[in-house]
Amino acid sequence: MSDDRTSAGDPARTLALLWRDEAATPRRGPRRGVDVDTLVEAAVALADEQGLAAVTMRKVAERVGVGVMSLYTYVADRAELLDLMLDTAYAQMPREDTTSQPWQARVTAVAEANRDLYRRHPWAALISTLRPPLGPGQMAKYEHELAAFDDCGLDDVTVDDCLTHLLTFVRACARDSEAARTRDQPDGVSDEQWWAAAGPLLTRVLDMDRYPRAVRIGTAAGTAHGSAHDPEHAYMFGLRRLLDGLAVLIDVDHRVQ
């Protein structure tokens, strides 16, 4: 699991960078031919192409054509760069106007927007945001997503709880989906090939009388989904159940019959 997290740098300097407050982050050294936005764009592209581990200060500097020491005149360290990357990705998310739609549709739109974010930037799901990057992208995202629960009869703390639960679910599904997408790459063995090899071996050692449910239900699920885990099915099933759970909290007058 990645140890990368947002808001791991100096709070005052990171916030100044996120909000592009140049007065609070004076640039050291001679003026360069690139700016912070150029560096962030390069870092995002690098992460999209090669994964989050590829984002190092040296590689970003090479991509924009500056010396690595020059990079430190813009951002103090990789922690600041990660905050800038994620906040930029948030800022670029489409914000669909769903104000006239039922709450289920509004909440689903939030889930789908975040799922699309992780499809475009798989690395974003690997960064812990327990301390969120408090930049303009994060704040615009939060403001927009909270509106999905308008007029649902919930108090403010419960609204935040509901949104957090939704986003945690989508992020977990995104991580599983990315793992499924890349799982064949290291050894070149597909799921079907792996099960074809492992299945007969498991049958030889497994006491079916001792694990009757595991055998029966596991076989049924594997046959239905073509794998031990189908990320698409898991997301759709989970989202429907999540909406069912939220409906318990929401005033009956706002439910869609």
Side-chain angles (χ1 to χ4, degrees), residues 108-197:
T108 298
V110 171
E112 287 296 305
N114 280 272
R115 194 182 189 205
D116 184 60
L117 166 72
Y118 296 133
R119 282 171 173 161
R120 289 181 286 111
H121 306 299
W123 52 269
L126 303 178
I127 302 176
S128 171
T129 56
L130 295 178
R131 292 180 183 172
L134 300 177
Q138 163 67 28
M139 297 311 296
K141 180 179 186 290
Y142 187 48
E143 177 73 17
H144 174 75
E145 292 172 346
L146 289 172
F149 298 93
D150 281 356
D151 303 319
C152 284
L154 304 175
D155 63 78
D156 287 351
V157 174
T158 303
V159 167
D160 182 76
D161 286 342
C162 290
L163 178 59
T164 299
H165 180 49
L166 175 70
L167 298 183
T168 300
F169 162 73
V170 176
R171 180 170 177 261
C173 287
R175 292 170 69 118
D176 282 350
S177 182
E178 178 63 9
R181 187 185 70 82
T182 59
R183 64 188 164 193
D184 297 343
Q185 295 178 3
D187 54 14
V189 177
S190 69
D191 252 14
E192 292 77 8
Q193 292 170 324
W194 188 88
W195 278 109

Side-chain angles (χ1 to χ4, degrees), residues 167-245:
L167 298 183
T168 300
F169 162 73
V170 176
R171 180 170 177 261
C173 287
R175 292 170 69 118
D176 282 350
S177 182
E178 178 63 9
R181 187 185 70 82
T182 59
R183 64 188 164 193
D184 297 343
Q185 295 178 3
D187 54 14
V189 177
S190 69
D191 252 14
E192 292 77 8
Q193 292 170 324
W194 188 88
W195 278 109
L201 298 176
L202 182 62
T203 301
R204 287 171 48 192
V205 298
L206 182 65
D207 183 348
M208 295 187 181
D209 292 331
R210 186 175 183 181
Y211 308 105
R213 298 175 190 83
V215 172
R216 186 185 77 252
I217 296 175
T219 300
T223 300
H225 306 314
S227 176
H229 180 71
D230 178 358
E232 180 68 21
H233 171 79
Y235 172 78
M236 296 305 301
F237 179 88
L239 181 60
R240 287 192 295 268
R241 301 295 79 76
L242 190 149
L243 293 173
D244 290 343

Side-chain angles (χ1 to χ4, degrees), residues 3-66:
D3 293 327
D4 291 315
R5 58 188 176 90
T6 53
S7 297
D10 176 76
R13 179 179 164 84
T14 300
L15 283 173
L17 269 173
L18 286 168
W19 291 90
R20 303 302 193 269
D21 182 2
E22 295 187 5
T25 54
R27 184 167 297 162
R28 302 183 296 273
R31 190 168 187 84
R32 303 294 182 182
V34 298
D35 56 21
V36 170
D37 291 332
T38 301
L39 299 177
V40 174
E41 180 181 345
V44 168
L46 191 60
D48 288 345
E49 295 166 11
Q50 302 179 32
L52 195 59
V55 180
T56 65
M57 299 293 276
R58 183 171 300 280
K59 285 189 176 181
V60 173
E62 291 173 354
R63 178 159 289 219
V64 296
V66 300

